[in-house]
Amino acid sequence: MLVELRLKNFAIIDEISISFGENLNIITGETGTGKSLIVDAINIILGDRFIVDHVKSEEKQTSIEALFEVGDDYSIKERLERLGIGDSDGELVIKRVFNPGGKNRIYVNGSIVTLGTLSEITDGLVNMFGQHEHQSLLKKSNYLNYIDAFSELEPELSEYKVSYAELRNLESEIESLRKREQEGAQRCDYLRFQVEEIKKVSPVPREDSELEAQRIRLENSERFSSSLAAAMELVYEGENSATGSLKESLSHLEKICELDHSLGEFRDRIASILIETEDIFYSLSQFARNIEHNPQRLEEVLLRLEEISRIKRKHGDSIEEIIAKQHRIESELEGFENSAGILEELGQRRDSLRGEVIEAAASISAARRAGSERIQELFSGEAESVGLKNSRFEVELEQKDLSEDGADRVQFLFSANPGQFPKPVNRVASGGELSRIMLLLKSFISMSDPGSIFIFDEVDAGIGGAVAESIGKKIKNLSRQSQVVCITHLPQVAKFADTHLLVVKRFDEGATTDVSVDSLDNEQRVSEIAKMLAGESVSEKTFEVAREMIRHTSGSDL
């Protein structure tokens, strides 16, 4: 609901703050007092463009600020969350600032936004009747919502939308797979070539490093043999070998250890070195036996290293990377090979689901046709009560391709005069007629509109008497489930107010103009309605009539 509206330096308004009630807010005032400025300000809050005529003083900043309570309205919360704007505990604060230098700003809950973002956030928040930019009856996209609300189709539509979304996802998956299959034939050939190229070499982990070690030994076999022989001779086999020297040293120490036991430590250390030296000799011998002078094997190793080097250049920096790539390619090829079976399975699921969606859409269409016929009947019976005597209202349903909202395209047709062929309501109905048509539609619909705020600016244009009374009752009924703001000149409508706001224009001695908006108490309401009945020449009897009108409406004693 709209809680508060603040205006500064706006048109003829210096500064005002208007508080609105939950149900029916009636705004009255003499012609030219600035009532329509309130509607203009709300339209600007909803995304209308600001114009220079809205500035009272070019030397001051102009601002319009509105506070809405949106509660648990999921659509508003979802938009704010998606745009990175907090919901301020169920409140929506919109402020538009217009500076003398032309640097204008828009704030939503303290965050700066663009005009497009503002319009996106406020879409559906207010149903405005009087200024065409926000009239829901001028947007064909809203028509199905009215029919579905009247026909109470929300459960069926929710199930349908889930199935339709699943169908679209399946169709998208099938299309993607088909495209991939068509584009994949050439890629499959390329992938098979790559995997065969790798398999032909079939490298194994660490093979390249082991081959490189073999190459070095084979290329330097003579150097290895001579150096190892020399080393083994010095360690063990030579006349003055290290092993012989160590054994001789150990023998000498053994002879004197009995004389000085402290030498036993040195004896043990030399014995340990002797064992290690002998072990080194045997290891060198084993290595030497593996050294071979084999030109044929060297050539084989060099060829194998070249093969591995070649596939490294094409498929990876290491054998491990090449093997991983081979696995990836084989997996992708397997996916291509299985795509035919997957396509067939997906196609069967799609055909089955499509049949279910078509059946559900047909059921929804039948309910919409029945609901449309009932709306036309109700409208025919109620039109005269809101000043639309001899008018015709028709709901035209046409079949269309399956979509998220079903298989129906809807158009509202209207003619105000007998003998005229009904035409699209958004082209032929006046502002007042649109307001009254909307009133009737809302009175027919059992569930509330997603936009919980209704603002009527021209609902009483060209009517009076019993018609005005009927319109007042319908507005009152609408306000029981939604907040309503209604600007009116008719006492028959104003008497139904839960909150009555009076717009007054004042002139000071400096020949400047200002506007105030006052919330009226019970006695002030009586006085205002009496003036609406009789003008400035208000008699006591007129007061009694006004008091009786309010009493009859509210059941209170005034």
Side-chain angles (χ1 to χ4, degrees):
M1 64 172 279
L2 175 59
V3 178
E4 189 173 353
L5 182 67
R6 295 180 180 177
L7 310 177
K8 289 184 179 180
N9 194 40
F10 183 71
I12 59 173
I13 298 169
D14 186 19
E15 182 175 351
I16 60 172
S17 179
I18 309 170
S19 296
F20 296 90
E22 292 184 6
N23 303 114
L24 179 53
N25 296 266
I26 293 292
I27 300 177
T28 62
E30 294 180 3
T31 302
T33 54
K35 299 186 297 299
S36 61
L37 292 176
I38 297 173
V39 176
D40 289 345
I42 294 174
N43 279 329
I44 291 172
I45 284 293
L46 297 175
D48 268 10
R49 291 196 176 275
F50 186 83
I51 61 175
V52 176
D53 292 346
H54 289 140
V55 176
K56 182 177 184 181
S57 171
E58 295 181 357
E59 299 175 356
K60 298 180 181 178
Q61 183 186 79
T62 299
S63 67
I64 304 170
E65 188 172 7
L67 168 62
F68 295 90
E69 284 184 0
V70 294
D72 296 325
D73 188 329
Y74 174 77
S75 62
I76 297 292
K77 285 191 171 186
E78 186 275 330
R79 291 175 213 167
L80 293 176
E81 183 177 347
R82 175 164 42 82
L83 295 165
I85 301 171
D87 68 356
S88 299
D89 296 325
E91 292 185 344
L92 179 66
V93 180
I94 300 172
K95 184 175 183 179
R96 297 192 64 177
V97 177
F98 307 93
N99 293 296
K103 295 182 180 179
N104 304 327
R105 293 287 184 269
I106 303 173
Y107 301 90
V108 175
N109 286 355
S111 298
I112 298 177
V113 301
T114 64
L115 188 61
T117 299
L118 174 64
S119 297
E120 180 182 352
I121 292 171
T122 61
D123 184 37
L125 180 64
V126 175
N127 287 301
M128 182 74 71
F129 301 96
Q131 297 297 325
H132 287 188
E133 288 78 3
H134 298 284
Q135 288 195 19
S136 59
L137 277 178
L138 294 179
K139 298 179 182 178
K140 289 181 65 177
S141 58
N142 292 321
Y143 296 172
L144 267 183
N145 294 335
Y146 293 127
I147 301 299
D148 293 342
F150 177 80
S151 306
E152 298 182 344
L153 283 172
E154 183 57 36
E156 290 85 351
L157 274 170
S158 295
E159 292 180 11
Y160 169 85
K161 287 178 179 179
V162 171
S163 297
Y164 179 78
E166 186 179 350
L167 175 63
R168 293 292 296 148
N169 288 337
L170 263 177
E171 290 175 338
S172 177
E173 188 176 354
I174 290 170
E175 180 63 27
S176 176
L177 196 57
R178 279 179 176 166
K179 186 176 181 181
R180 181 183 169 190
E181 191 178 50
Q182 291 168 359
E183 296 174 349
Q186 185 175 356
R187 178 164 175 77
C188 277
D189 291 339
Y190 175 63
L191 291 176
R192 289 192 186 97
F193 170 77
Q194 285 188 310
V195 79
E196 288 302 321
E197 191 174 41
I198 295 172
K199 282 182 175 181
K200 188 176 180 180
V201 177
S202 295
V204 296
R206 296 182 299 279
E207 181 184 4
D208 50 349
S209 58
E210 292 172 2
L211 287 170
E212 184 63 24
Q214 285 187 47
R215 180 192 66 78
I216 292 172
R217 287 197 297 271
L218 287 166
E219 286 183 341
N220 298 277
S221 59
E222 292 184 359
R223 288 179 60 190
F224 272 107
S225 296
S226 61
S227 295
L228 285 170
M232 287 189 293
E233 185 175 356
L234 290 170
V235 170
Y236 192 84
E237 295 175 333
E239 183 178 349
N240 296 316
S241 68
T243 305
S245 299
L246 287 169
K247 285 180 178 179
E248 188 176 350
S249 297
L250 185 62
S251 175
H252 288 300
L253 286 174
E254 287 283 359
K255 293 176 182 179
I256 59 175
C257 275
E258 295 178 357
L259 301 176
D260 189 341
H261 293 296
S262 64
L263 293 172
E265 176 187 354
F266 299 104
R267 178 200 61 196
D268 293 342
R269 290 171 64 183
I270 290 174
S272 176
I273 292 170
L274 178 61
I275 292 171
E276 177 68 18
T277 303
E278 289 176 339
D279 185 64
I280 290 171
F281 170 76
Y282 289 122
S283 296
L284 288 173
S285 299
Q286 182 68 31
F287 195 95
R289 282 195 293 271
N290 291 329
I291 296 298
E292 60 177 332
H293 180 68
N294 190 339
Q296 183 179 351
R297 176 56 184 162
L298 176 60
E299 185 177 357
E300 290 173 356
V301 169
L302 290 173
L303 288 173
R304 182 62 177 171
L305 283 171
E306 175 57 29
E307 283 185 328
I308 293 173
S309 178
R310 177 171 50 81
I311 62 170
K312 275 185 178 181
R313 289 194 297 270
K314 295 184 68 174
H315 300 293
D317 294 332
S318 67
I319 289 178
E320 288 73 19
E321 286 186 20
I322 293 169
I323 294 172
K325 181 177 181 179
Q326 178 183 342
H327 292 159
R328 289 197 304 271
I329 293 173
E330 288 172 340
S331 178
E332 188 174 352
L333 282 170
E334 185 179 353
F336 279 122
E337 291 165 1
N338 293 335
S339 62
I342 295 172
L343 266 175
E344 183 178 358
E345 181 184 347
L346 290 177
Q348 291 173 352
R349 285 172 54 194
R350 178 206 54 202
D351 294 343
S352 175
L353 183 58
R354 185 172 180 81
E356 294 175 11
V357 170
I358 290 173
E359 185 177 347
S363 176
I364 290 170
S365 295
R368 284 170 172 167
R369 284 193 296 272
S372 299
E373 291 172 3
R374 182 59 181 152
I375 285 177
Q376 291 175 177
E377 292 173 5
L378 291 172
F379 190 94
S380 179
E382 294 282 335
E384 187 173 352
S385 69
V386 293
L388 296 175
K389 184 178 180 180
N390 297 322
S391 65
R392 286 173 60 189
F393 180 83
E394 295 179 3
V395 181
E396 183 180 75
L397 282 174
E398 295 179 354
Q399 191 171 6
K400 66 174 184 179
D401 293 337
L402 285 175
S403 66
E404 185 182 15
D405 55 17
D408 301 297
R409 184 181 295 108
V410 66
Q411 177 66 274
F412 286 171
L413 305 176
F414 177 75
S415 69
N417 303 302
Q420 285 185 338
F421 189 77
K423 297 179 181 179
V425 66
N426 55 355
R427 286 169 42 196
V428 299
S430 66
E433 288 167 343
L434 285 169
S435 298
R436 288 171 236 157
I437 293 169
M438 183 61 190
L439 263 179
L440 288 180
L441 289 177
K442 289 305 298 179
S443 69
F444 302 154
I445 295 173
S446 59
M447 61 184 294
S448 61
D449 191 271
S452 61
I453 304 168
F454 292 83
I455 298 179
F456 294 96
D457 189 18
E458 299 181 19
V459 70
D460 57 5
I463 61 172
V467 172
E469 176 83 12
S470 177
I471 286 177
K473 288 179 180 178
K474 285 180 169 57
I475 290 176
K476 182 68 174 179
N477 288 334
L478 179 59
S479 73
R480 290 190 172 97
Q481 64 182 15
S482 303
Q483 184 190 37
V484 177
V485 177
C486 178
I487 297 175
T488 184
H489 293 280
L490 298 177
Q492 296 95 328
V493 175
K495 69 177 183 177
F496 289 98
D498 295 302
T499 300
H500 192 147
L501 303 170
L502 177 63
V503 181
V504 180
K505 182 164 63 175
R506 295 183 175 89
F507 303 93
D508 62 19
E509 295 179 358
T512 59
T513 305
D514 195 15
V515 173
S516 65
V517 179
D518 304 317
S519 181
L520 305 184
D521 59 25
N522 287 341
E523 282 302 321
Q524 290 171 328
R525 285 187 63 205
V526 171
S527 177
E528 173 62 13
I529 289 177
K531 289 180 181 178
M532 294 173 75
L533 286 167
E536 293 299 324
S537 303
V538 181
S539 65
E540 185 58 37
K541 184 175 181 179
T542 308
F543 279 111
E544 283 302 319
V545 171
R547 191 172 283 109
E548 182 61 28
M549 288 174 67
I550 297 174
R551 183 186 296 115
H552 179 72
T553 301
S554 63
S556 60
D557 294 326
L558 299 179

